[in-house]
């Protein structure tokens, strides 16, 4: 079942043509990545979906309401003045759910996210990886149908990032959140996705759509030959795309 | 070995030593100079004489401290309320901000020496003109701090909470207002140091009682020792208010203490 579909979506911001007839879809329970060079307009797609930017031309069907999406920004955006538990319930509070009920909804998930002992800590007291887990839980707990993750592991150091990706794959395999991930990390896209859309430089077009048929779990073990081939193919596509070379 | 708490306190005390030393030696030098030079106490009274006057005139000083404190608190409460209310209005209506902000800036250019007698002329010798003058002097630093504080909100946090479907009011309450708190306290600390001085100045211009009146009368009867006694009281009041503000800040901004403390 298609959870979300974009058809011929174009965006011009001022004089810049950012998105050029983007078409893509996400199925229920599917993990889809948008892979592209920095500044290609990947995040613009998210702004469009969350209603931060208006749709100019094209059509979005399936999950069209702002309330269908939970958004996780690049940096964790945890509020430094709120304790972790109060950061986690923020989305539910905004929905008008009383604090007590919101906390009850978060409580059973704390252990899986490794946050059970840190609910009364302030974000500044947590490591980068833990903050990122908190930001992810804050996203998940909103109970929206589609999770939008904007380079969620981009700000972490290489070792923490690998840990987090492995942990995340594990969580995703049990929960199967319908997920749209924006990344410029080829390896991350191959490791986590069912399908990958490759975007060109600005104005962004979809220049490839690749299915990743590798069985899960893919992380926490030596990368398979198939994963290597797909990574190589994606890099090739990104490096030899049409348009100006940097 | 780790003794974080005692070490912290020990360091705090040690840090205070230079300040105490410099203040004590300044008074010592003053005392010694007065005694050695034999200068008339009508010109320059020694610190010991000022202290003596505080003890002797404690009833007079106390009776006149109460009205000054009343004016200070009432004026500060007024200015806090107005600054908060206005800052919220200005945050929600950028056009109003552009229209009104120049007026607030101009209000700070008015010389108090000229304005105070006029305010007393218009509102009489009672509490009202003093409250108004304290408010006039103290409200601007707080207003600027709040308005700047709202604007300092992390755009990623605002985008995030907006993506959750928050209304403008929810964004203000959950994101913009808490973001402004560190700024607000910076403004509050500046304001509070002006408050007592402004109240005393207003009394000096015209009032029935207050530390300003004590200073005025003592000056007219050539009693610099009583002038200085009143000055000491007024300084103490400001210091106490400042300390109270700092304490309040530590409680409200507790989350800042943990930063860089991983």
């Amino acid at each position: 079942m298609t959870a979300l579909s974009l058809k011929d979506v174009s965006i011009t911001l001022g004089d810049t043509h950012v998105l050029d007839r983007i078409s893509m879809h996400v199925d229920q329970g599917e993990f889809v990545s948008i892979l592209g060079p920095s500044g290609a307009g990947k995040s613009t797609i998210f702004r469009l979906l969350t209603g931060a930017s208006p749709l100019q031309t094209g059509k979005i069907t399936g999950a069209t309401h702002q309330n269908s999406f939970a958004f996780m920004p690049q940096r964790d955006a945890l509020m430094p003045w709120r304790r972790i538990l109060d950061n986690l319930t923020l989305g539910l509070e905004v929905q008008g759910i009383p604090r007590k009920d919101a906390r009850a909804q978060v409580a059973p998930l704390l252990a899986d996210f490794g946050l059970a002992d840190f609910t009364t800590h302030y974000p500044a007291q947590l490591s980068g990886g833990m903050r990122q887990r908190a930001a992810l839980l804050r996203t998940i707990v909103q109970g929206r149908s589609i999770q939008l993750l904007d380079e969620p592991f981009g700000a972490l150091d290489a070792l923490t990032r690998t840990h987090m990706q492995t942990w995340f794959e594990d969580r995703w395999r049990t929960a199967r959140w319908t997920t749209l991930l924006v990344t410029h990390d080829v390896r991350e896209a191959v490791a986590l996705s069912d399908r990958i859309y490759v975007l060109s430089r600005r104005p962004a077009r979809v220049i490839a759509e690749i299915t990743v048929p590798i069985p899960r779990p893919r992380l926490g073990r030596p990368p398979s030959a198939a994963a290597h081939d797909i990574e190589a193919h994606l890099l090739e596509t990104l490096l030899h795309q049409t348009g100006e070379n940097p | 070995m780790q003794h974080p708490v005692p070490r912290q306190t020990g360091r705090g005390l040690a840090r205070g030593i230079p300040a105490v030393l410099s203040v004590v030696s300044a008074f010592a030098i003053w005392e010694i100079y007065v005694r050695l030079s034999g200068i008339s106490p009508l010109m320059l009274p020694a610190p010991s004489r000022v202290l003596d006057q505080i003890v002797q005139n404690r009833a007079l000083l106390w009776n006149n401290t109460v009205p000054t404190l009343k004016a200070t608190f009432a004026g500060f409460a007024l200015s806090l309320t107005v600054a908060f209310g206005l800052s919220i209005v200005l945050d929600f209506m950028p056009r109003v901000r552009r229209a009104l902000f120049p007026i607030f800036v101009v209000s700070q250019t008015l010389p108090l020496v000229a304005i105070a007698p006029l305010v007393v002329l218009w509102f009489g010798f009672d509490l009202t003109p003093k409250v108004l003058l304290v408010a006039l002097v103290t409200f601007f630093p707080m207003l600027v701090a709040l308005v700047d504080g709202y604007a300092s909100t992390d755009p990623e946090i605002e985008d995030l909470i907006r993506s959750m479907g928050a209304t403008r009011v929810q964004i203000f309450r959950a994101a913009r207002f808490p973001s402004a708190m560190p700024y607000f306290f910076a403004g509050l600390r500046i304001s509070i140091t002006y408050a007592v001085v402004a109240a005393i100045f207003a009394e000096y211009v015209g009032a029935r009682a207050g530390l300003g009146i004590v200073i005025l009368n003592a000056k007219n009867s050539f009693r610099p020792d009583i002038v200085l006694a009143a000055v000491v009281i007024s300084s103490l009041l400001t210091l106490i208010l400042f300390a109270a503000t700092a304490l309040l800040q530590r409680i409200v901004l507790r989350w800042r203490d943990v930063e860089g403390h991983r």
Side-chain angles (χ1 to χ4, degrees), chain A residues 116-195:
Chain A
D117 298 332
F118 299 94
T119 50
T120 57
H121 285 56
Y122 286 105
Q125 293 170 295
L126 265 52
S127 68
M130 288 174 72
R131 292 172 61 119
Q132 221 58 25
R133 285 206 296 267
L136 185 67
L137 179 50
R138 179 190 59 197
T139 314
I140 299 301
V141 83
Q142 292 174 50
R144 307 298 200 196
S145 49
I146 301 176
Q147 318 301 322
L148 304 177
L149 312 182
D150 189 354
E151 299 189 23
F153 311 118
L156 302 173
D157 64 271
L159 196 63
T160 314
R161 189 187 314 144
T162 311
H163 273 303
M164 284 295 297
Q165 285 165 346
T166 313
W167 170 84
F168 178 77
E169 187 192 28
D170 194 44
R171 298 265 16 99
W172 187 83
R173 286 202 309 130
T174 41
R176 296 277 164 174
W177 305 299
T178 308
T179 308
L180 192 54
L181 170 83
V182 153
T183 184
H184 58 245
D185 182 338
V186 171
R187 185 159 292 168
E188 178 172 285
V190 173
L192 297 174
S193 315
D194 295 318
R195 264 183 320 117

Side-chain angles (χ1 to χ4, degrees), chain A residues 9 11 19 43-55 60:
Chain A
V9 171
I11 288 285
L19 301 180
S43 300
T44 308
I45 297 177
F46 278 9
R47 294 180 60 78
L48 216 55
L49 293 176
T50 56
S53 297
L55 182 65
I60 300 178

Side-chain angles (χ1 to χ4, degrees), chain B residues 29-262:
Chain B
I29 291 168
W30 175 0
E31 181 81 34
I32 291 166
Y33 172 78
V34 171
R35 294 199 179 201
L36 292 184
S37 68
I39 189 169
S40 155
L42 291 180
M43 288 288 286
L44 181 68
S48 56
R49 189 185 167 97
V50 174
L51 205 64
D52 191 44
Q53 287 302 317
I54 292 178
V55 177
Q56 281 186 30
N57 296 304
R58 56 185 180 278
L60 170 85
L61 285 171
W62 174 250
N63 289 338
N64 286 286
T65 299
V66 174
T68 303
L69 267 182
K70 264 190 199 155
T72 305
F73 280 128
F76 206 74
L78 176 68
S79 113
L80 195 66
T81 316
V82 172
F84 253 115
L86 260 177
S87 75
I88 293 169
V89 171
L90 299 191
D91 192 58
F92 278 79
M93 303 176 192
R95 268 204 203 121
V96 178
R97 177 169 66 225
R98 280 193 289 277
L100 290 188
F101 221 75
I103 298 178
F104 301 137
V105 176
V106 168
S107 81
Q108 296 307 298
T109 64
L110 307 175
L112 204 55
V113 201
I115 284 300
L118 290 178
V119 175
V120 171
L121 180 72
W122 296 330
F123 295 99
F125 289 86
D126 289 322
L127 199 60
T128 319
K130 293 186 266 178
V131 170
L132 286 177
L133 283 168
V134 171
L136 177 73
V137 170
T138 57
F139 114 106
F140 191 67
M142 288 193 288
L143 181 74
V144 172
L146 283 168
V147 169
D148 282 358
Y150 300 145
S152 78
T153 312
D154 182 351
E156 287 211 3
I157 288 182
E158 272 202 61
D159 282 352
L160 172 80
I161 188 168
R162 202 173 288 126
S163 84
M164 293 169 167
T167 62
R168 182 70 176 79
V169 173
Q170 283 178 317
I171 294 173
F172 180 83
R173 280 185 44 189
R176 294 179 74 83
F177 183 73
S179 298
M181 279 305 100
Y183 288 75
F184 166 70
F185 275 101
L188 183 68
R189 288 217 308 266
I190 296 173
S191 279
I192 205 93
T193 56
Y194 295 164
V196 178
V197 176
I200 289 178
F201 188 82
E203 289 162 357
Y204 195 87
V205 171
R208 297 206 167 85
L211 286 175
I213 294 300
V214 173
I215 292 173
L216 183 68
N217 291 340
K219 185 206 74 168
N220 288 342
S221 47
F222 302 101
R223 289 296 299 274
D225 48 353
I226 298 182
V227 172
L228 287 174
V231 166
V232 168
I233 302 294
S234 120
S235 293
L236 281 179
L237 290 182
T238 301
L239 285 176
I240 291 168
L241 290 178
F242 190 81
T245 322
L247 189 71
L248 188 67
Q249 174 176 4
R250 284 202 70 153
I251 295 168
V252 174
L253 300 182
R254 208 166 9 160
W255 57 272
R256 292 194 114 207
D257 293 339
V258 304
E259 286 197 337
H261 228 275
R262 298 187 186 174

